[in-house]
Amino acid sequence: MTKQLVERKMMTAFMSSPGFSVCSLFECSYFWMIAAMALPPPDPEFVLRGTAAPVHTLHFSCRGQEPEFPILFSGSANGLVQIWNLKTHRVDKTMDGHGGKSVYWVETIHGRDGLLSQGRDQKICLWDLAEGRNVVTDSISVDSVGFCRCSLLKVAQDRWLIAMPANDPDEVQVLELPSKTSVCTLKPEAGAKLGMPMCLKLWQPGFGACPFLMAGYEDGSVILWNLSMGKMLSRLACHQEPVMSLDFDSEKAKGVSGSSEKVLSVWSLDEQQNLKVHKTHELINSGISDVTIRQDRKILATAGWDYRIRIFGWKKVKPLAVLDYHTATVHCVAFSDHSRPSERLLAAGSNDQRISIWSLYNRT
Amino acid sequence: MSDLLPVVQSILYRMNKALGTGMKSTQRFLPSTPSFPCSWDRSCQCNSSSCLKVPSFCLVKIVDILEQFLREGGLSALMWEVCQQQAQAASPELQETLLNKVVCLPDHLSNKLQGENLPIFLPQNYFPLLGTEIIQVLQRISDSLRGGLDCSISFVSQVLGKVCVHGRRKEILSTLVPCLTDLTKSDCIWQRMCWRLVECVPDRWMEAVVCGFVQTAPGADVLSRLLGNLVVKNKKAQFVVTQKLLLLQYSCPTAMLQNLLGYLALDNSRRFLLIKVLQELMETWASSSAVKHSPVEQQLYISKAILICLSHLKDVEIDSHRQELFTCMMEGMKCHLDSNLPRIRCLGMIVAESISSRINTDGPILKFQYEEDDETRELKSLLTQMLSPPSVISPPDEGKDSPSAVTEAELKPGRKPLAAACAVSEEGSDSELDSDDDFIPYDMSADKELKKTKAPLYIRDCIEVLTGPEDMDKWEATMRVLETLIQRNTAATQEVSVELAKVLLHLEEKTYIDDFVELRQKALVTVTITDPIPVAQYLTSQFYSMNYSLRQRMDILDVLALAAQELSRPKAPGKNKPSSIQTPCIQILPGSDSSKDWRKIVDERIKSKTRRFAKGQSQVELVCAPNKFSSVAGHFFFPLIQNFDRPLVTFDLLGDDHFVLGRLAHTLAILLYFAVNTVVAAAMGKALLEFVWALRFHTDSYVRQGLLSCISSTLLSVPSDRLLEDVTEELVETQAWLADVAEKDPDGDCRRLALQNLLLMENLKKKLETAPS
């Protein structure tokens, strides 16, 4: 489909050019040929080895000014959180705070001085990383035993909201950090049969506005929660299988979700705050473990159970690339937050214990 | 009007004189023409000597008179006169002469006047004029018939017949038939006259007239109106319609066939003929000798006729002939499916399907699998279109209809690009609007379904998998990886080459692997290339052994031919990898592996567009490598050619399995062709010529084609001096056979191949003559 598009574009360009003639048509076929033969997919920029365990989560922190170097946090199945220096491509620090239980969510807080990590030991640790320290200063215990990753949203200076699964299997709890006070507990109506929450995404329409939560559930539906009222606003059953991952673009009011099926579902939120299916994209192989939209909202990446990373254009969900490097399930994808767009990277962590770093579509 | 005859006689007389054609018979009538101007005659005779060179005054005068005569409708007056006289029994000689003159006038005049001929006397103008004059005469006859007077039409019939037999039926009928079609539409006197007109045509001209009518009539109902029950009354016409046009020739277009058979079907008194015709057609169709020996075109023609007949048959008629049709169908199907030519097989399938669908109205019907193309669609449409009769109701447009349909069909592809271009511009502008989505996608062709099982890494593992219990995923992975594994580990392959070939040869076809046949073939070819002698020995020995299916035997032949091609192809010394067996040419389309070698293609294109100003051979650097096939060609060739005449229990090359024999002949030709420039070629050529000689009268055209290509490759591959030294006699014999085939073979391809071979021989002879002895 994409090849056709390119061909068509070439064709229109030639049709509209003033010197269009039979001869130029012939020439056109030459260009056409090159255009039609798309470039082979790129290789990874570099690969980080040495986690010694499947990599479950990744988080960049690259905004820092000069003497600071771009770093990447990784959480792996052996309970270690590692900090990778993206200049030297070496591990700077290894932090063990989850007792050997798998870490499946990490996120920075306070710039890069603080870090939240969620592990299978039912704990969320808050790390103090300032001035070279690496100690756990606080921890929140999570009652849920599921795989649901938390979601963090900065609502004001030094005030965050964190959404996490609660001790009732189908509930989501939202806490305020650093005070750890409960803001609300989101409980679906009785008989909704949603199952466990599988993925969460906190967002707010504008800074300071009332925050919302998108949550994907075990039964395949995505739900929009209003946090201030603790009320379900809209429910969309967009998958047959559990929703494995979702991401939401608050600017375009459009989100994307992946499940264990062969489908990538794109949905939108209208003014009445109803979720609607916008488009579905059929994949070759089933299973998406993670989906992330790049910060500039131009492309999105998915981590596939079929060992492949897929890149799509965000606007039309046009497939752009299939990155085939890993030899086992890819668990997570993350885009870097470099301030210069040309430096932006994509990282993917896989069950094959490697982290691949890619540089794609970052020319503006 | 009654005094016109003398005038005409005089005109004819003068014409005779002036044109110098001594027609004694007309002179006899001269004394009975009192109004004849004598002085004129004399002056004319004076000048007659100079007539031959320059058109004399006299000749010009006479031509003028003739022209006037024609313009004023003299011909119709003349014919009317004769018709009236005929009713009172006039002299046959006069009629004969007049007939001759009227029909041959353009010939006489063009002979006489050469370049000075007037347009009205040209055949393309004269005969249409004659047509309209005939209509005039018929008009008068109809008037007089209505008036109660008797009239004879036979002179007009004779004129018509003679014109038709002189090869001018298209000109005269193109004016006559439309007029008659109109006039007979509602008038029964006109209809009767028209029938009479055709009936009165003498037998010797009947064929031409009937053919002409069948050809020009716009539809079966018109034909039926014009001819009436001619076929029942006239034996000759019956023969022409039921035998000659259907069974003895095959040049008529489909529309004409439809006319003809439709005509037979339209009237109950003629329907017995339709059934008779169908019986005869079916007999021919079901005769194995006809299938073997008649050209494909004729078989197509007969199939069409059968289908049209079937479409006209009523259920009652089918009921009464069901058993007969069934027997014929079974017989015909057998001999058609037996044929080696795919087109004939396909014809047989379609006809058999159609028959069975007509005779089994409630039971199960035959259903074959064949590829749809224009021909099959046309054939099938023949069966259905008559079942809905209205297609014949609007005949006058039919002639115009078909060209317009053609133009429409021609226009369509022309229109398509335009529409596509529109779509392009829309799409293009749309995507230009959102520039941020303007990322160029990478190649995603590698994005295939994920296979869970791992492909084996060693050849021996492959053998183990393929001989072990069947595991779909494992098998598929193995088949896909086999070719590259063999190429990578030549030494390892050589240890087990024969075993691997054996395993591959005996693999059953797995339908769950898309391109299984291709994969297996590739693997076999690669094994053969890697270890040519043992594998070729094994394969050739298996070709003649028991318990193989024909498919497997043909696979062996294919593999040997492909391997020979690969071995004989010069390769870069470093690369031992046969680039691609199936596609020797560079693929420009974005195909399976285009992503990998796009640079190569682009480089090549750049190279082809770049003009270089260097001298000598720097441009083309031919890769020099020894022909690997040279040393092993004998192992491929001789075991194959040895045993073809020894029948086995399950395999009889000279008997039923002639399809394999054809393939064998083709393969041998290919092997010899690839052995060009090798030492063994001469011996191979000699053996091959003997092989051809033994089989030269084979009844199957596919086998003959194979033999002819054997000769071609002998002539091309064996050095010419060796040809002359070793096989002179065989060559002379072969040449005689080739000449015979080129002339008499029923199969068009065979004739063409034989001609090509003769040409090759001629070239050989020329080369020898020019070469210094």
Side-chain angles (χ1 to χ4, degrees), chain A residues 8-9 12 27 37 39 285 308 310 316 318 320 361, chain B residues 424-425 431 437-443 447-450:
Chain A
R8 282 178 179 176
K9 255 179 217 171
T12 19
E27 286 295 310
M37 286 185 307
L39 288 174
N285 291 306
R308 287 169 201 155
R310 283 158 214 276
K316 289 182 172 173
K318 168 171 103 170
L320 292 175
Y361 297 112
Chain B
V424 162
S425 62
S431 57
D437 210 7
D438 212 12
F439 299 120
I440 296 162
Y442 289 101
D443 180 45
D447 191 18
K448 302 260 169 59
E449 225 167 293
L450 190 69

PDB file of all heavy atoms in Angstrom, chain A residues 8-9 12 27 37 39 285 308 310 316 318 320 361, chain B residues 424-425 431 437-443 447-450:
ATOM      1  N   ARG A   8       2.299   6.911  -6.652  1.00  0.00           N
ATOM      2  CA  ARG A   8       1.290   7.876  -7.043  1.00  0.00           C
ATOM      3  C   ARG A   8       1.829   9.284  -6.924  1.00  0.00           C
ATOM      4  O   ARG A   8       1.597  10.132  -7.757  1.00  0.00           O
ATOM      5  CB  ARG A   8       0.066   7.713  -6.164  1.00  0.00           C
ATOM      6  CG  ARG A   8      -0.757   6.544  -6.577  1.00  0.00           C
ATOM      7  CD  ARG A   8      -1.903   6.395  -5.656  1.00  0.00           C
ATOM      8  NE  ARG A   8      -2.727   5.284  -6.060  1.00  0.00           N
ATOM      9  CZ  ARG A   8      -3.769   4.877  -5.371  1.00  0.00           C
ATOM     10  NH1 ARG A   8      -4.103   5.503  -4.268  1.00  0.00           N
ATOM     11  NH2 ARG A   8      -4.481   3.862  -5.790  1.00  0.00           N
ATOM     12  N   LYS A   9       2.558   9.507  -5.866  1.00  0.00           N
ATOM     13  CA  LYS A   9       3.102  10.840  -5.670  1.00  0.00           C
ATOM     14  C   LYS A   9       4.041  11.189  -6.806  1.00  0.00           C
ATOM     15  O   LYS A   9       3.988  12.282  -7.357  1.00  0.00           O
ATOM     16  CB  LYS A   9       3.822  10.897  -4.341  1.00  0.00           C
ATOM     17  CG  LYS A   9       3.015  11.657  -3.315  1.00  0.00           C
ATOM     18  CD  LYS A   9       3.728  11.679  -2.003  1.00  0.00           C
ATOM     19  CE  LYS A   9       2.702  11.557  -0.904  1.00  0.00           C
ATOM     20  NZ  LYS A   9       3.322  11.352   0.376  1.00  0.00           N
ATOM     21  N   THR A  12       1.985  12.020  -9.825  1.00  0.00           N
ATOM     22  CA  THR A  12       1.365  13.350  -9.844  1.00  0.00           C
ATOM     23  C   THR A  12       2.410  14.406 -10.087  1.00  0.00           C
ATOM     24  O   THR A  12       2.173  15.369 -10.815  1.00  0.00           O
ATOM     25  CB  THR A  12       0.675  13.677  -8.506  1.00  0.00           C
ATOM     26  OG1 THR A  12       1.205  12.818  -7.529  1.00  0.00           O
ATOM     27  CG2 THR A  12      -0.808  13.550  -8.610  1.00  0.00           C
ATOM     28  N   GLU A  27      11.321   8.389 -18.482  1.00  0.00           N
ATOM     29  CA  GLU A  27      12.272   8.688 -17.432  1.00  0.00           C
ATOM     30  C   GLU A  27      11.657   8.392 -16.072  1.00  0.00           C
ATOM     31  O   GLU A  27      12.297   7.906 -15.168  1.00  0.00           O
ATOM     32  CB  GLU A  27      12.669  10.161 -17.500  1.00  0.00           C
ATOM     33  CG  GLU A  27      13.598  10.492 -18.644  1.00  0.00           C
ATOM     34  CD  GLU A  27      14.937   9.804 -18.482  1.00  0.00           C
ATOM     35  OE1 GLU A  27      15.505   9.915 -17.388  1.00  0.00           O
ATOM     36  OE2 GLU A  27      15.398   9.150 -19.424  1.00  0.00           O
ATOM     37  N   MET A  37      11.273   0.544  -5.012  1.00  0.00           N
ATOM     38  CA  MET A  37      12.102  -0.357  -4.227  1.00  0.00           C
ATOM     39  C   MET A  37      12.473   0.364  -2.942  1.00  0.00           C
ATOM     40  O   MET A  37      13.458   1.097  -2.888  1.00  0.00           O
ATOM     41  CB  MET A  37      13.359  -0.699  -5.002  1.00  0.00           C
ATOM     42  CG  MET A  37      13.075  -1.654  -6.123  1.00  0.00           C
ATOM     43  SD  MET A  37      14.583  -2.135  -6.898  1.00  0.00           S
ATOM     44  CE  MET A  37      15.303  -0.580  -7.257  1.00  0.00           C
ATOM     45  N   LEU A  39      13.715   1.423   0.684  1.00  0.00           N
ATOM     46  CA  LEU A  39      14.991   1.143   1.350  1.00  0.00           C
ATOM     47  C   LEU A  39      14.827  -0.030   2.297  1.00  0.00           C
ATOM     48  O   LEU A  39      13.771  -0.214   2.889  1.00  0.00           O
ATOM     49  CB  LEU A  39      15.406   2.366   2.161  1.00  0.00           C
ATOM     50  CG  LEU A  39      15.884   3.563   1.358  1.00  0.00           C
ATOM     51  CD1 LEU A  39      16.114   4.729   2.304  1.00  0.00           C
ATOM     52  CD2 LEU A  39      17.165   3.209   0.641  1.00  0.00           C
ATOM     53  N   ASN A 285       1.413 -10.766  12.724  1.00  0.00           N
ATOM     54  CA  ASN A 285       1.482 -11.710  13.840  1.00  0.00           C
ATOM     55  C   ASN A 285       0.773 -11.128  15.044  1.00  0.00           C
ATOM     56  O   ASN A 285       0.662  -9.909  15.195  1.00  0.00           O
ATOM     57  CB  ASN A 285       2.941 -11.996  14.195  1.00  0.00           C
ATOM     58  CG  ASN A 285       3.622 -12.780  13.108  1.00  0.00           C
ATOM     59  OD1 ASN A 285       3.152 -13.833  12.694  1.00  0.00           O
ATOM     60  ND2 ASN A 285       4.729 -12.247  12.609  1.00  0.00           N
ATOM     61  N   ARG A 308       9.408  -8.410  16.738  1.00  0.00           N
ATOM     62  CA  ARG A 308       9.633  -7.271  15.849  1.00  0.00           C
ATOM     63  C   ARG A 308       9.082  -5.994  16.445  1.00  0.00           C
ATOM     64  O   ARG A 308       8.090  -5.994  17.171  1.00  0.00           O
ATOM     65  CB  ARG A 308       8.953  -7.502  14.501  1.00  0.00           C
ATOM     66  CG  ARG A 308       9.698  -8.541  13.699  1.00  0.00           C
ATOM     67  CD  ARG A 308       8.931  -8.979  12.506  1.00  0.00           C
ATOM     68  NE  ARG A 308       9.451 -10.278  12.093  1.00  0.00           N
ATOM     69  CZ  ARG A 308       8.775 -11.174  11.406  1.00  0.00           C
ATOM     70  NH1 ARG A 308       7.553 -10.916  11.026  1.00  0.00           N
ATOM     71  NH2 ARG A 308       9.310 -12.314  11.091  1.00  0.00           N
ATOM     72  N   ARG A 310       7.490  -2.439  15.368  1.00  0.00           N
ATOM     73  CA  ARG A 310       6.838  -1.835  14.212  1.00  0.00           C
ATOM     74  C   ARG A 310       6.696  -0.342  14.414  1.00  0.00           C
ATOM     75  O   ARG A 310       6.362   0.111  15.516  1.00  0.00           O
ATOM     76  CB  ARG A 310       5.445  -2.422  13.999  1.00  0.00           C
ATOM     77  CG  ARG A 310       5.475  -3.774  13.383  1.00  0.00           C
ATOM     78  CD  ARG A 310       4.192  -4.510  13.681  1.00  0.00           C
ATOM     79  NE  ARG A 310       4.476  -5.915  13.837  1.00  0.00           N
ATOM     80  CZ  ARG A 310       4.569  -6.761  12.803  1.00  0.00           C
ATOM     81  NH1 ARG A 310       4.338  -6.326  11.593  1.00  0.00           N
ATOM     82  NH2 ARG A 310       4.883  -8.015  12.996  1.00  0.00           N
ATOM     83  N   LYS A 316      -2.059   8.733  10.239  1.00  0.00           N
ATOM     84  CA  LYS A 316      -2.945   7.815   9.513  1.00  0.00           C
ATOM     85  C   LYS A 316      -2.698   6.357   9.875  1.00  0.00           C
ATOM     86  O   LYS A 316      -3.249   5.472   9.240  1.00  0.00           O
ATOM     87  CB  LYS A 316      -2.718   7.973   8.020  1.00  0.00           C
ATOM     88  CG  LYS A 316      -3.228   9.274   7.468  1.00  0.00           C
ATOM     89  CD  LYS A 316      -2.993   9.305   6.004  1.00  0.00           C
ATOM     90  CE  LYS A 316      -3.674  10.502   5.374  1.00  0.00           C
ATOM     91  NZ  LYS A 316      -3.308  10.614   3.976  1.00  0.00           N
ATOM     92  N   LYS A 318      -0.104   4.749   9.272  1.00  0.00           N
ATOM     93  CA  LYS A 318       0.482   4.146   8.082  1.00  0.00           C
ATOM     94  C   LYS A 318       1.713   3.356   8.500  1.00  0.00           C
ATOM     95  O   LYS A 318       2.593   3.895   9.174  1.00  0.00           O
ATOM     96  CB  LYS A 318       0.867   5.276   7.128  1.00  0.00           C
ATOM     97  CG  LYS A 318       1.743   4.862   5.986  1.00  0.00           C
ATOM     98  CD  LYS A 318       1.877   6.001   5.012  1.00  0.00           C
ATOM     99  CE  LYS A 318       3.217   6.697   5.162  1.00  0.00           C
ATOM    100  NZ  LYS A 318       3.479   7.646   4.081  1.00  0.00           N
ATOM    101  N   LEU A 320       5.298   2.117   8.665  1.00  0.00           N
ATOM    102  CA  LEU A 320       6.501   2.727   8.120  1.00  0.00           C
ATOM    103  C   LEU A 320       7.686   1.771   8.111  1.00  0.00           C
ATOM    104  O   LEU A 320       8.481   1.773   7.188  1.00  0.00           O
ATOM    105  CB  LEU A 320       6.874   3.971   8.932  1.00  0.00           C
ATOM    106  CG  LEU A 320       5.916   5.156   8.813  1.00  0.00           C
ATOM    107  CD1 LEU A 320       6.344   6.261   9.751  1.00  0.00           C
ATOM    108  CD2 LEU A 320       5.886   5.668   7.394  1.00  0.00           C
ATOM    109  N   TYR A 361      13.410   8.388  11.630  1.00  0.00           N
ATOM    110  CA  TYR A 361      12.463   9.466  11.303  1.00  0.00           C
ATOM    111  C   TYR A 361      12.638  10.670  12.217  1.00  0.00           C
ATOM    112  O   TYR A 361      11.669  11.214  12.735  1.00  0.00           O
ATOM    113  CB  TYR A 361      11.022   8.972  11.406  1.00  0.00           C
ATOM    114  CG  TYR A 361      10.721   7.883  10.415  1.00  0.00           C
ATOM    115  CD1 TYR A 361      10.480   6.578  10.819  1.00  0.00           C
ATOM    116  CD2 TYR A 361      10.685   8.184   9.054  1.00  0.00           C
ATOM    117  CE1 TYR A 361      10.218   5.587   9.895  1.00  0.00           C
ATOM    118  CE2 TYR A 361      10.420   7.193   8.125  1.00  0.00           C
ATOM    119  CZ  TYR A 361      10.189   5.904   8.579  1.00  0.00           C
ATOM    120  OH  TYR A 361       9.928   4.944   7.667  1.00  0.00           O
TER     121      TYR A 361
ATOM    122  N   VAL B 424      -4.924   9.211  -8.733  1.00  0.00           N
ATOM    123  CA  VAL B 424      -3.584   9.557  -8.272  1.00  0.00           C
ATOM    124  C   VAL B 424      -3.540  10.995  -7.798  1.00  0.00           C
ATOM    125  O   VAL B 424      -3.074  11.293  -6.709  1.00  0.00           O
ATOM    126  CB  VAL B 424      -2.562   9.337  -9.407  1.00  0.00           C
ATOM    127  CG1 VAL B 424      -1.285  10.079  -9.098  1.00  0.00           C
ATOM    128  CG2 VAL B 424      -2.283   7.871  -9.569  1.00  0.00           C
ATOM    129  N   SER B 425      -4.087  11.881  -8.622  1.00  0.00           N
ATOM    130  CA  SER B 425      -3.975  13.293  -8.270  1.00  0.00           C
ATOM    131  C   SER B 425      -4.730  13.571  -6.970  1.00  0.00           C
ATOM    132  O   SER B 425      -4.255  14.301  -6.124  1.00  0.00           O
ATOM    133  CB  SER B 425      -4.501  14.161  -9.397  1.00  0.00           C
ATOM    134  OG  SER B 425      -5.857  13.887  -9.605  1.00  0.00           O
ATOM    135  N   SER B 431      -2.402  13.609   0.346  1.00  0.00           N
ATOM    136  CA  SER B 431      -1.291  13.290   1.225  1.00  0.00           C
ATOM    137  C   SER B 431      -0.298  14.442   1.306  1.00  0.00           C
ATOM    138  O   SER B 431       0.503  14.502   2.216  1.00  0.00           O
ATOM    139  CB  SER B 431      -0.587  12.019   0.747  1.00  0.00           C
ATOM    140  OG  SER B 431      -0.179  12.204  -0.577  1.00  0.00           O
ATOM    141  N   ASP B 437       2.943  13.638   7.962  1.00  0.00           N
ATOM    142  CA  ASP B 437       2.809  12.192   7.813  1.00  0.00           C
ATOM    143  C   ASP B 437       3.631  11.705   6.631  1.00  0.00           C
ATOM    144  O   ASP B 437       3.423  10.628   6.124  1.00  0.00           O
ATOM    145  CB  ASP B 437       1.341  11.829   7.609  1.00  0.00           C
ATOM    146  CG  ASP B 437       1.052  10.451   8.152  1.00  0.00           C
ATOM    147  OD1 ASP B 437       1.955   9.872   8.780  1.00  0.00           O
ATOM    148  OD2 ASP B 437      -0.059   9.956   7.941  1.00  0.00           O
ATOM    149  N   ASP B 438       4.549  12.543   6.233  1.00  0.00           N
ATOM    150  CA  ASP B 438       5.207  12.334   4.957  1.00  0.00           C
ATOM    151  C   ASP B 438       6.456  11.475   5.069  1.00  0.00           C
ATOM    152  O   ASP B 438       7.394  11.634   4.321  1.00  0.00           O
ATOM    153  CB  ASP B 438       5.571  13.699   4.363  1.00  0.00           C
ATOM    154  CG  ASP B 438       5.518  13.642   2.864  1.00  0.00           C
ATOM    155  OD1 ASP B 438       4.983  12.650   2.348  1.00  0.00           O
ATOM    156  OD2 ASP B 438       6.011  14.579   2.233  1.00  0.00           O
ATOM    157  N   PHE B 439       6.479  10.579   6.013  1.00  0.00           N
ATOM    158  CA  PHE B 439       7.643   9.714   6.161  1.00  0.00           C
ATOM    159  C   PHE B 439       7.634   8.656   5.080  1.00  0.00           C
ATOM    160  O   PHE B 439       6.592   8.088   4.764  1.00  0.00           O
ATOM    161  CB  PHE B 439       7.628   9.045   7.526  1.00  0.00           C
ATOM    162  CG  PHE B 439       7.668  10.013   8.654  1.00  0.00           C
ATOM    163  CD1 PHE B 439       6.650  10.062   9.585  1.00  0.00           C
ATOM    164  CD2 PHE B 439       8.735  10.885   8.779  1.00  0.00           C
ATOM    165  CE1 PHE B 439       6.685  10.966  10.628  1.00  0.00           C
ATOM    166  CE2 PHE B 439       8.773  11.788   9.830  1.00  0.00           C
ATOM    167  CZ  PHE B 439       7.744  11.832  10.752  1.00  0.00           C
ATOM    168  N   ILE B 440       8.793   8.396   4.536  1.00  0.00           N
ATOM    169  CA  ILE B 440       8.884   7.352   3.510  1.00  0.00           C
ATOM    170  C   ILE B 440       9.078   6.012   4.198  1.00  0.00           C
ATOM    171  O   ILE B 440       9.993   5.856   5.008  1.00  0.00           O
ATOM    172  CB  ILE B 440      10.065   7.638   2.569  1.00  0.00           C
ATOM    173  CG1 ILE B 440       9.802   8.936   1.824  1.00  0.00           C
ATOM    174  CG2 ILE B 440      10.249   6.495   1.587  1.00  0.00           C
ATOM    175  CD1 ILE B 440      11.027   9.534   1.218  1.00  0.00           C
ATOM    176  N   PRO B 441       8.214   5.098   3.924  1.00  0.00           N
ATOM    177  CA  PRO B 441       8.327   3.823   4.627  1.00  0.00           C
ATOM    178  C   PRO B 441       9.530   3.018   4.146  1.00  0.00           C
ATOM    179  O   PRO B 441       9.960   3.135   3.002  1.00  0.00           O
ATOM    180  CB  PRO B 441       7.025   3.106   4.280  1.00  0.00           C
ATOM    181  CG  PRO B 441       6.478   3.792   3.112  1.00  0.00           C
ATOM    182  CD  PRO B 441       7.090   5.145   3.018  1.00  0.00           C
ATOM    183  N   TYR B 442      10.035   2.215   5.028  1.00  0.00           N
ATOM    184  CA  TYR B 442      11.084   1.271   4.661  1.00  0.00           C
ATOM    185  C   TYR B 442      10.453   0.043   4.036  1.00  0.00           C
ATOM    186  O   TYR B 442       9.226  -0.136   4.086  1.00  0.00           O
ATOM    187  CB  TYR B 442      11.888   0.857   5.900  1.00  0.00           C
ATOM    188  CG  TYR B 442      12.761   1.953   6.448  1.00  0.00           C
ATOM    189  CD1 TYR B 442      12.376   2.692   7.562  1.00  0.00           C
ATOM    190  CD2 TYR B 442      13.974   2.246   5.855  1.00  0.00           C
ATOM    191  CE1 TYR B 442      13.180   3.694   8.066  1.00  0.00           C
ATOM    192  CE2 TYR B 442      14.785   3.251   6.358  1.00  0.00           C
ATOM    193  CZ  TYR B 442      14.387   3.965   7.456  1.00  0.00           C
ATOM    194  OH  TYR B 442      15.196   4.942   7.944  1.00  0.00           O
ATOM    195  N   ASP B 443      11.272  -0.757   3.482  1.00  0.00           N
ATOM    196  CA  ASP B 443      10.797  -2.000   2.899  1.00  0.00           C
ATOM    197  C   ASP B 443      10.270  -2.914   4.000  1.00  0.00           C
ATOM    198  O   ASP B 443      10.963  -3.165   4.977  1.00  0.00           O
ATOM    199  CB  ASP B 443      11.960  -2.675   2.161  1.00  0.00           C
ATOM    200  CG  ASP B 443      11.506  -3.965   1.542  1.00  0.00           C
ATOM    201  OD1 ASP B 443      10.430  -3.963   0.934  1.00  0.00           O
ATOM    202  OD2 ASP B 443      12.231  -4.965   1.672  1.00  0.00           O
ATOM    203  N   ASP B 447       8.288  -8.785   6.471  1.00  0.00           N
ATOM    204  CA  ASP B 447       7.369  -8.951   7.586  1.00  0.00           C
ATOM    205  C   ASP B 447       6.433 -10.115   7.305  1.00  0.00           C
ATOM    206  O   ASP B 447       5.329  -9.954   6.817  1.00  0.00           O
ATOM    207  CB  ASP B 447       6.577  -7.657   7.769  1.00  0.00           C
ATOM    208  CG  ASP B 447       5.796  -7.665   9.059  1.00  0.00           C
ATOM    209  OD1 ASP B 447       6.130  -8.475   9.928  1.00  0.00           O
ATOM    210  OD2 ASP B 447       4.867  -6.857   9.190  1.00  0.00           O
ATOM    211  N   LYS B 448       6.898 -11.291   7.620  1.00  0.00           N
ATOM    212  CA  LYS B 448       6.093 -12.497   7.353  1.00  0.00           C
ATOM    213  C   LYS B 448       5.631 -13.089   8.671  1.00  0.00           C
ATOM    214  O   LYS B 448       6.069 -12.681   9.741  1.00  0.00           O
ATOM    215  CB  LYS B 448       6.944 -13.531   6.609  1.00  0.00           C
ATOM    216  CG  LYS B 448       7.503 -13.026   5.309  1.00  0.00           C
ATOM    217  CD  LYS B 448       6.682 -13.511   4.138  1.00  0.00           C
ATOM    218  CE  LYS B 448       7.066 -12.811   2.845  1.00  0.00           C
ATOM    219  NZ  LYS B 448       8.464 -13.010   2.519  1.00  0.00           N
ATOM    220  N   GLU B 449       4.793 -14.070   8.529  1.00  0.00           N
ATOM    221  CA  GLU B 449       4.320 -14.716   9.740  1.00  0.00           C
ATOM    222  C   GLU B 449       5.490 -15.410  10.448  1.00  0.00           C
ATOM    223  O   GLU B 449       6.371 -15.972   9.805  1.00  0.00           O
ATOM    224  CB  GLU B 449       3.252 -15.730   9.383  1.00  0.00           C
ATOM    225  CG  GLU B 449       2.065 -15.638  10.293  1.00  0.00           C
ATOM    226  CD  GLU B 449       0.906 -16.416   9.727  1.00  0.00           C
ATOM    227  OE1 GLU B 449       0.371 -16.010   8.681  1.00  0.00           O
ATOM    228  OE2 GLU B 449       0.582 -17.440  10.334  1.00  0.00           O
ATOM    229  N   LEU B 450       5.436 -15.331  11.726  1.00  0.00           N
ATOM    230  CA  LEU B 450       6.555 -15.854  12.502  1.00  0.00           C
ATOM    231  C   LEU B 450       6.464 -17.370  12.578  1.00  0.00           C
ATOM    232  O   LEU B 450       5.424 -17.919  12.888  1.00  0.00           O
ATOM    233  CB  LEU B 450       6.489 -15.246  13.900  1.00  0.00           C
ATOM    234  CG  LEU B 450       7.701 -15.490  14.779  1.00  0.00           C
ATOM    235  CD1 LEU B 450       8.879 -14.716  14.244  1.00  0.00           C
ATOM    236  CD2 LEU B 450       7.383 -15.063  16.196  1.00  0.00           C
TER     237      LEU B 450
END
